[in-house]
Amino acid sequence: MGNLVPFFVQWGLTSLSLWVASHLFSGLRFADGGSLLIAALLLGFANAVVKPLLILFTLPLTVLTMGLFLLVVNALVLMLVSSVVSGFTISSFWTAFFASIFISLFSLFISGILF
């Protein structure tokens, strides 16, 4: 059970970040709490599995833009999760772009406080 505690804490942080982002960005919506929890779970999975592959495939572009393309990769991962989870909608790429920046910074801030 001890190994599951960090997983549940991270899942909770991701859920909290998505929930706060949905209140700050009008184009990011959840139908209910279930879709929020599923989106947080899939976002963690996508960040662990899909995002490294995208980074690898876009490495030349990332190097060319001095790492700024990683912001686009974050937005694309968030849009991917929204396309898979019913009840989670993102209105545009720019909403996903700025929401992904907020989610990353908010999670980093809360993690810094907790750990």
Side-chain angles (χ1 to χ4, degrees):
M1 183 68 179
N3 292 337
L4 288 178
V5 171
F7 168 77
F8 284 117
V9 169
Q10 189 60 43
W11 187 16
L13 286 176
T14 305
S15 299
L16 177 66
S17 300
L18 285 170
W19 180 76
V20 172
S22 72
H23 289 288
L24 292 177
F25 297 95
S26 61
L28 188 120
R29 292 281 170 229
F30 293 97
D32 54 18
S35 60
L36 172 67
L37 291 174
I38 292 170
L41 185 64
L42 285 179
L43 184 59
F45 176 77
N47 281 333
V49 177
V50 177
K51 186 176 171 183
L53 292 174
L54 284 175
I55 291 171
L56 182 66
F57 292 142
T58 62
L59 191 59
L61 192 54
T62 302
V63 170
L64 185 66
T65 62
M66 294 179 282
L68 290 176
F69 193 73
L70 292 176
L71 298 173
V72 173
V73 170
N74 283 341
L76 292 174
V77 168
L78 191 59
M79 291 181 77
L80 173 70
V81 171
S82 74
S83 70
V84 172
V85 177
S86 65
F88 176 31
T89 57
I90 298 177
S91 62
S92 69
F93 169 78
W94 292 110
T95 300
F97 182 82
F98 291 114
S100 68
I101 293 171
F102 171 79
I103 290 165
S104 298
L105 292 176
F106 186 80
S107 294
L108 180 67
F109 176 73
I110 297 297
S111 294
I113 290 173
L114 291 177
F115 303 110

